[in-house]
């Protein structure tokens, strides 16, 4: 069942009922000011950091679900309704929510009145604009009232939801004409405030929630609206809000537009006040001046649209499969940009107060946006590397505002260091900018320890070499990519961390997965050494890589598939000998995509085993059979009920690894099949089962051992976005950035037909047409670049050429 449809020309998903299985959200903002907005106008805003500078209040775990947002109430006769349906839930004569790229648009009609609400964050201002146009579509004049409503958060979102003994006394506001200023804590150490304004003279306002909504009233039936209008309340402590009241009369056919602005402003310390206890409003006034007219708002909206359209031209495919086109050209790249902006901080599953930026997550997210914003990717790599320790290990997380490692979690996740090589290699393949390797980068943010970035990669590589277990495989530490495989923890007390409790990071427990990673990214490291003329170092690195490859093929092989790990007692994990958790996805995908076991036939065997034991109609499960009880030696993985999350869920992040692995073996049909199973556009018509947004990936889909098999969770902020984009753009469609240029190496189903990819690459535009007259699945036999045939599959870069017309024949 569907709850909407894709409008590809507009780059929008159109939701046609407010009663989606879960709130379906979108993100507004590209730089510093961000908002989450759901299809019923739920959500919240923040400045830079969703924990420290939360602007509006949201209630996670709310009831009904998603019940706080930015609301417009329309009181027309005795009916009060909202253009986004919530919170009144008054049935609408027409409802539509269009989630677009960086904006959301709501259209609703009730009793001959139409509301069109456009929400976006301008590129260059720290505010969200809500453009509300009301049209009288009836035959008679209409007089009605419009009420706006936002509830402020007292900045620190965690403190806001816990520290009531203080917070209920600190709230302060100022009112200046149509603008309501939220200035809690400004009198002491803060020099920033928020404001909510409208470009009209209001007929009333409230700033106290108790006055506007009422102490015992729900947001669906505010006291002020029921009792004849706003009360002019001035909040003092308790719950500061901003509500405007506007009286509107429209003749038949007439429209009127209001611009509401929710903004954030900062003042220099010595210019905080314009009079005693009166905040300096100059920055807010400057911002608001731009948005007094619809022209001002429309120009900002046009600029935003142009920004995104230009960005998305970075990779554009035209194939016969409209779902591939839609995901590649619009939604998958958009989701990658959202993961760049948000990391894992704020979604409807990430509360904005929890995890900082993950070391491994951020390195992988980069794969998905490096072609779009290479300069920002460069800075991100340097930020990440600056948190690495001198011995090559890494803080598992760092804080976005301070960019410092997070000491609560510390280090010891032994895959982390290698992801730095992966991210840097992806950046250099994209940009050809080897100079990044010479950037001076500290360890643990201590400027006294700066060394060239290249040295950081060396430490990453050597960390793995120096931390091997009894079989010669890498030690797993607290966990590898699978955060929940905690082989050195043994936690039996509720509330303890599964990762950081435990006697040691263990000299015994080993990870076959990290072995695969080492082979894959060790080769990149060796290439970078060679590029710097360090031939001995390159050779030594390749020797280590080959040694690891042999170790994985022997100690890491279970007979029909790759083992997952050895635990702290040296017992096998992910073996046919195990009672549960006999086979895991990660080593099959990663070892084969690293090229391990291809010649020996083990790669083929491993992937057949995946198909046989892990595949389901909704994607490939992370392991099987799921653990039915808690295993002290395995940790958090076995804490989840069977079929959910790391315990047998379909963890979408690593499905593309298997798909890429299939392309290594030339299996185009199978690779594409795997791609489709988790790809949102292909499962749109099972939205009632999948539940999460049909335009973005979720971290996890419940596996076949779960009660709700096929149900998605944790949408938006997941490494799945980057990896699926790498899979489809580089390995299936086969446009792969390499150190010396673009390599063309498609692997598609036999009947996929010809297609064209336009791609921005190192300052030039490439238009690559791929035809497949013989219906093969892999590789090209002829390559013509700007009219000249070249041998091999690499498009050579010619100095000064900015347009490449490429013909490739499979
Ligand atoms: C989550 C984490 C990621 C981890 C994965 C598997 O997505 O953000 O770091 O690799 O779970 O446990
Ligand atoms: C990852 C996993 C999650 C786990 C967390 C622990 O996010 O997906 O299941 O609880 O890591 O850090």
């Amino acid at each position: 069942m569907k709850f909407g449809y894709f409008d590809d020309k507009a780059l929008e998903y159109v939701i046609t009922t407010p009663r989606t299985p879960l709130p379906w959200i979108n993100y507004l903002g590209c730089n510093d000011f961000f908002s989450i907005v759901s299809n019923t106008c739920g959500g919240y805003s923040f400045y830079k950091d969703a924990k420290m500078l939360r602007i509006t209040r949201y209630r996670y775990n709310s009831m009904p679900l998603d019940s706080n947002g930015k609301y417009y109430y329309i009181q027309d006769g005795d009916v009060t309704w909202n253009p986004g349906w919530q919170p009144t839930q008054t049935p609408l004569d027409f409802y539509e929510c269009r989630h677009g790229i960086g904006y959301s648009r709501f259209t609703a009609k009730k009793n001959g009145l139409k509301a069109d609400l456009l929400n976006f964050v301008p590129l260059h201002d720290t505010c969200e604009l809500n453009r509300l146009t009301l049209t009288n579509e009836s035959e008679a004049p209409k007089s009605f009232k419009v009420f706006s409503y936002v509830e402020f958060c007292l900045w620190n979102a965690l403190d806001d939801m816990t520290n009531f003994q203080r917070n209920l006394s600190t709230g302060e506001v100022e009112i200046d004409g149509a603008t309501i200023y939220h200035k809690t804590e400004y009198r002491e150490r803060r020099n920033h405030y928020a404001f909510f304004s409208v470009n009209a003279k209001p007929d009333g306002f409230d700033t106290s929630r108790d006055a506007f909504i009422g102490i015992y009233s729900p947001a669906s039936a505010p006291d002020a609206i029921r009792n004849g209008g706003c009360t002019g309340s001035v909040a003092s402590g308790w719950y500061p809000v901003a509500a405007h009241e506007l009286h509107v009369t429209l003749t038949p056919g007439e429209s009127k537009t209001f611009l509401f602005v929710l903004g954030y402003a900062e003042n220099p310390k010595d210019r905080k006040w314009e009079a005693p206890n009166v905040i300096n409003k100059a920055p807010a006034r400057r911002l608001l001046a731009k948005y007094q007219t619809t022209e001002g708002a429309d120009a900002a909206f046009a600029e935003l649209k142009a920004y995104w359209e230009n960005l998305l031209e970075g990779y554009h495919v035209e194939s016969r499969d409209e779902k591939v086109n839609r995901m590649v050209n619009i939604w998958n790249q958009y989701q990658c940009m959202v993961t760049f902006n948000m990391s894992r901080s704020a979604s409807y599953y990430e509360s904005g107060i929890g995890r900082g930026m993950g070391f491994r997550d951020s390195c992988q997210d980069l794969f998905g946006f490096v072609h779009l914003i290479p300069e920002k990717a460069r800075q991100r790599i340097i930020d990440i590397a600056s948190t690495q320790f001198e011995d090559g290990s890494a803080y598992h997380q760092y804080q976005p505002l301070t960019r410092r490692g997070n000491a609560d979690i510390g280090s010891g996740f032994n895959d982390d260091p290698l992801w730095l090589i992966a991210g840097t290699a992806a950046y250099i393949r994209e940009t050809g900018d080897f100079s990044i390797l010479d950037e001076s980068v500290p360890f643990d943010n201590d400027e006294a320890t700066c060394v060239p970035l290249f040295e950081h990669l060396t430490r990453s590589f050597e960390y793995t070499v120096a931390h091997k277990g009894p079989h010669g495989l890498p030690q797993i530490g607290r966990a590898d990519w699978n955060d929940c495989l905690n082989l050195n923890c043994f936690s039996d007390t509720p509330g303890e961390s599964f990762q950081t409790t435990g006697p040691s990071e263990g000299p015994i427990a080993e990870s076959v997965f990290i072995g695969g990673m080492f082979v894959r990214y060790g080769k990149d490291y060796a290439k970078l050494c060679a590029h710097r003329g360090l031939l001995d170092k390159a050779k030594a690195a390749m020797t280590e890589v080959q040694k690891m490859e042999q170790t994985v093929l022997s100690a890491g092989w279970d007979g029909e598939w790759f083992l997952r790990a050895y635990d702290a007692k040296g017992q096998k994990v992910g073996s046919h000998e195990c009672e549960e958790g006999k086979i895991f996805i990660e080593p099959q995908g990663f070892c084969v995509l690293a090229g391990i076991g291809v010649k020996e036939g083990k790669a083929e065997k491993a992937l057949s085993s995946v198909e046989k034991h892990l595949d389901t109609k909704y994607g490939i499960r992370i392991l099987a059979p799921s653990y039915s009880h808690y295993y002290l030696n395995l940790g958090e993985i076995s804490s989840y009920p069977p079929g959910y999350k790391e315990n047998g869920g379909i963890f979408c992040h690593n499905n593309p690894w298997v798909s890429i692995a299939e392309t290594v073996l030339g299996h185009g049909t199978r690779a594409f099949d795997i791609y489709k199973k988790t790809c949102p556009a292909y499962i749109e018509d099972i939205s009632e089962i999948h539940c999460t947004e049909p335009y973005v990936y979720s971290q996890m889909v419940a596996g076949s051992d779960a009660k709700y098999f096929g149900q998605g969770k944790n949408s938006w902020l997941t490494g799945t976005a980057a990896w699926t984009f790498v899979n489809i753009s580089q390995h299936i469609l086969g446009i792969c950035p390499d150190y010396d240029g673009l390599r063309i190496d498609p692997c598609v189903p036999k009947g996929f037909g010809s297609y064209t990819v336009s791609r921005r690459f190192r300052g030039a535009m490439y238009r690559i047409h791929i035809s497949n007259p013989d219906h093969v699945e892999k590789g090209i036999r002829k390559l013509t670049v700007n009219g000249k045939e070249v041998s091999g599959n690499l498009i050579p870069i010619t100095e000064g050429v900015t347009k490449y017309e490429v013909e490739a024949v499979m």
Side-chain angles (χ1 to χ4, degrees):
M1 195 209 275
K2 296 188 196 183
F3 299 83
Y5 60 92
F6 287 94
D7 181 346
D8 293 338
K9 258 186 102 181
L11 319 187
E12 290 171 341
Y13 191 79
V14 188
I15 301 165
T16 51
T17 166
R19 289 188 184 272
T20 44
L22 287 168
W24 285 357
I25 67 165
N26 194 14
Y27 286 86
L28 316 180
C30 306
N31 293 311
D32 295 330
F33 190 107
F34 296 100
S35 301
I36 299 181
V37 58
S38 75
N39 62 307
T40 60
C41 290
Y44 60 94
S45 300
F46 59 92
Y47 180 75
K48 283 190 180 169
D49 184 312
K51 177 180 177 189
M52 304 307 288
L53 293 172
R54 185 80 62 101
I55 294 169
T56 58
R57 188 175 277 156
Y58 186 76
R59 292 181 187 83
Y60 282 91
N61 279 335
S62 72
M63 199 201 67
L65 208 53
D66 188 28
S67 68
N68 208 15
K70 299 186 189 94
Y71 296 135
Y72 296 94
Y73 297 86
I74 296 167
Q75 188 182 35
D76 180 14
D78 50 12
V79 179
T80 302
W81 56 282
N82 302 94
W85 183 66
Q86 289 253 57
T88 59
Q89 301 189 4
T90 302
L92 298 166
D93 300 337
F94 178 84
Y95 160 93
E96 184 183 272
C97 164
R98 289 178 172 259
H99 282 321
I101 306 301
Y103 66 91
S104 290
R105 185 170 201 149
F106 300 82
T107 307
K109 297 184 188 183
K110 185 73 186 174
N111 298 338
L113 187 60
K114 177 179 162 194
D116 177 357
L117 175 65
L118 172 69
N119 297 357
F120 68 99
V121 170
L123 269 181
H124 303 297
D125 284 309
T126 56
C127 67
E128 178 184 328
L129 275 180
N130 292 176
R131 188 189 71 191
L132 176 65
T133 300
L134 299 151
T135 306
N136 181 359
E137 294 192 331
S138 78
E139 308 283 296
K142 256 187 188 295
S143 289
F144 55 92
K145 291 180 187 172
V146 177
F147 295 89
S148 68
Y149 176 71
V150 301
E151 181 179 0
F152 292 111
C153 179
L154 307 191
W155 305 118
N156 179 320
L158 181 60
D159 190 70
D160 182 72
M161 63 175 86
T162 47
N163 193 7
F164 303 105
Q165 61 80 24
R166 168 180 162 85
N167 296 343
L168 296 181
S169 296
T170 57
E172 285 190 289
V173 297
E174 273 182 42
I175 300 123
D176 180 33
T179 310
I180 293 162
Y181 291 86
H182 174 232
K183 60 167 188 177
T184 301
E185 290 190 345
Y186 190 84
R187 61 166 54 248
E188 26 111 352
R189 291 160 298 175
R190 294 187 185 273
N191 60 343
H192 54 83
Y193 54 79
F195 51 95
F196 189 49
S197 188
V198 60
N199 67 337
K201 189 173 177 310
D203 297 286
F205 70 86
D206 266 310
T207 66
S208 145
R209 192 181 81 194
D210 291 343
F212 183 74
I213 302 270
I215 298 177
Y216 291 108
S217 300
S220 57
D223 283 2
I225 298 179
R226 284 186 301 165
N227 299 337
C230 285
T231 68
S233 59
V234 179
S236 177
W238 301 106
Y239 312 105
V241 301
H244 299 100
E245 174 177 343
L246 297 158
H247 298 180
V248 190
T249 300
L250 295 176
T251 56
E254 195 190 355
S255 291
K256 183 154 179 56
T257 297
F258 294 100
L259 295 176
F260 294 89
V261 179
L262 174 72
Y264 169 92
E266 284 175 2
N267 276 322
K269 265 199 176 133
D270 56 349
R271 269 180 282 151
K272 279 179 70 167
W273 307 101
E274 56 190 38
N277 277 330
V278 178
I279 58 176
N280 174 3
K281 303 185 181 66
R285 289 193 181 119
R286 261 198 308 275
L287 190 155
L288 289 171
K290 289 196 196 173
Y291 303 116
Q292 291 307 303
T293 61
T294 39
E295 288 74 26
D298 293 353
F301 186 57
E303 188 185 21
L304 180 72
K305 284 204 90 160
Y307 165 82
W308 275 109
E309 277 159 20
N310 173 54
L311 206 60
L312 295 179
E313 277 165 16
Y315 195 114
H316 186 94
V317 61
E318 291 152 51
S319 78
R320 287 186 208 161
D321 189 319
E322 69 165 4
K323 296 187 174 107
V324 164
N325 301 349
R326 154 186 311 156
M327 289 311 300
V328 170
N329 300 340
I330 310 170
W331 295 100
N332 201 170
Q333 294 192 82
Y334 181 48
Q335 187 176 359
C336 289
M337 283 301 295
V338 171
T339 64
F340 165 73
N341 286 325
M342 297 291 129
S343 187
R344 301 295 172 273
S345 70
S347 75
Y348 270 21
Y349 305 85
E350 302 281 5
S351 62
I353 58 175
R355 302 199 269 162
M357 315 264 301
F359 192 97
R360 81 157 80 86
D361 291 344
S362 300
C363 289
Q364 292 170 86
D365 288 349
L366 201 129
F367 304 162
F369 61 75
V370 62
H371 68 296
L372 297 171
I373 43 167
E375 330 68 48
K376 290 188 178 172
R378 191 182 205 273
Q379 187 57 47
R380 183 62 61 86
I381 290 169
I382 290 167
D383 289 349
I384 297 168
S386 304
T387 68
Q388 189 178 28
F389 289 105
E390 289 194 59
D391 73 347
S393 66
Y395 278 113
H396 193 46
Q397 293 175 0
Y398 70 101
Q399 295 310 120
L401 273 186
T402 61
R403 298 180 189 168
R404 282 174 180 275
N406 182 343
D408 302 343
I409 297 162
S411 67
F413 295 75
N414 285 350
D415 62 319
D416 276 334
L418 292 172
W419 290 116
L420 183 62
I421 300 178
T424 308
Y427 169 78
I428 297 174
R429 285 166 190 260
E430 180 63 39
T431 58
D433 172 21
F434 284 91
S435 80
I436 192 176
L437 296 174
D438 299 316
E439 251 347 289
S440 172
V441 180
F443 290 106
D444 195 6
N445 292 99
D446 175 359
E447 291 301 320
T449 61
C450 279
V451 293
L453 177 66
F454 178 74
E455 179 61 24
H456 282 257
L457 305 193
T458 301
R459 305 270 175 108
S460 285
F461 183 85
E462 284 172 358
Y463 183 85
T464 312
V465 175
H467 291 80
K468 291 185 188 166
H471 298 89
L473 289 162
Q475 291 173 16
I476 195 168
R478 298 193 187 286
D480 61 18
W481 172 86
N482 190 327
D483 264 339
C484 301
L485 192 59
N486 313 124
L487 304 181
N488 292 306
C489 176
F490 316 106
S491 170
D492 56 7
T493 305
E496 280 177 355
S497 159
F498 285 106
Q499 279 105 11
T500 58
T501 315
S504 75
E505 288 169 21
I508 305 289
E510 297 169 294
S511 161
V512 177
F513 169 77
I514 301 179
M517 268 189 90
F518 182 80
V519 171
R520 171 71 181 75
Y521 299 120
K523 290 179 197 163
D524 274 307
Y525 173 69
K527 278 193 189 145
L528 296 178
C529 291
H531 188 271
R532 292 175 82 75
L534 305 170
L535 299 181
D536 288 347
K537 225 176 170 140
K539 213 170 134 206
M542 280 313 291
T543 306
E544 285 296 341
V545 164
Q546 279 146 12
K547 201 158 102 194
M548 183 66 76
E549 194 163 348
Q550 288 316 308
T551 309
V552 169
L553 282 170
S554 49
W557 183 251
D558 191 54
E560 298 286 321
W561 55 77
F562 292 101
L563 276 175
R564 181 62 177 84
Y566 289 93
D567 74 10
K569 288 204 177 117
Q571 302 173 102
K572 291 174 183 171
V573 179
S575 160
H576 69 285
E577 295 163 22
C578 302
E579 223 168 279
E580 300 182 312
K582 289 172 186 287
I583 171 170
F584 281 64
I585 192 174
E586 302 101 310
Q588 324 311 327
F590 229 89
C591 291
V592 178
L593 77 77
I596 303 176
V598 175
K599 322 192 266 300
E600 296 83 355
K602 287 182 173 167
E604 280 281 354
K605 237 185 202 164
L607 295 189
S608 314
S609 297
V610 168
E611 189 164 0
K612 188 160 159 208
H613 301 289
L614 296 176
D615 209 6
T616 78
K617 61 179 170 176
Y618 298 134
I620 304 170
R621 294 177 286 169
I622 197 168
L623 62 87
S626 304
Y627 296 108
S628 61
H629 60 91
Y630 180 57
Y631 291 75
L632 203 58
N633 62 323
L634 301 179
E636 185 171 4
I637 193 167
S638 56
S639 74
Y640 287 112
Y644 293 111
K645 297 279 280 182
E646 280 87 341
N647 188 15
I650 296 155
F651 221 87
C652 301
H653 188 135
N654 43 36
N655 276 240
W657 298 347
V658 178
S659 184
I660 295 169
E662 294 285 1
T663 69
V664 168
L665 301 185
H667 301 156
T669 302
R670 171 75 181 145
F672 192 63
D673 224 45
I674 295 171
Y675 170 74
K676 286 193 296 188
K677 280 187 185 183
T678 56
C679 183
Y682 292 90
I683 50 177
E684 184 195 8
D685 53 359
I686 57 151
S687 289
E688 82 284 10
I689 297 170
H690 187 62
C691 294
T692 48
E693 296 90 334
Y695 38 91
V696 292
Y697 286 92
S698 294
Q699 180 206 55
M700 191 244 356
V701 170
S704 45
D705 294 331
K707 177 157 159 60
Y708 298 111
F709 178 36
Q711 190 175 79
K713 280 193 194 122
N714 302 10
S715 55
W716 283 96
L717 305 184
T718 161
T720 312
W723 272 105
T724 49
F725 188 70
V726 167
N727 179 30
I728 186 72
S729 65
Q730 299 186 20
H731 298 278
I732 294 178
L733 298 174
I735 316 298
C736 197
D738 210 339
Y739 295 104
D740 303 317
L742 278 182
R743 198 173 288 286
I744 311 302
D745 191 15
C747 186
V748 293
K750 289 192 176 75
F752 193 72
S754 55
Y755 58 97
T756 304
V757 174
S758 313
R759 197 196 195 283
R760 202 168 21 226
F761 184 66
R762 303 192 190 175
M765 268 320 280
Y766 288 69
R767 204 172 152 78
I768 304 155
H769 181 252
I770 296 176
S771 57
N772 190 359
D774 301 332
H775 308 290
V776 298
E777 296 204 339
K778 168 102 174 164
I780 59 167
R781 60 176 161 84
K782 190 172 167 202
L783 185 64
T784 315
V785 180
N786 287 340
K788 267 207 218 107
E789 191 169 335
V790 298
S791 65
N793 64 2
L794 185 79
I795 306 174
I797 292 178
T798 316
E799 266 320 302
V801 175
T802 56
K803 278 207 166 115
Y804 291 80
E805 284 292 331
V806 182
E807 283 291 329
V809 184
M810 291 185 71

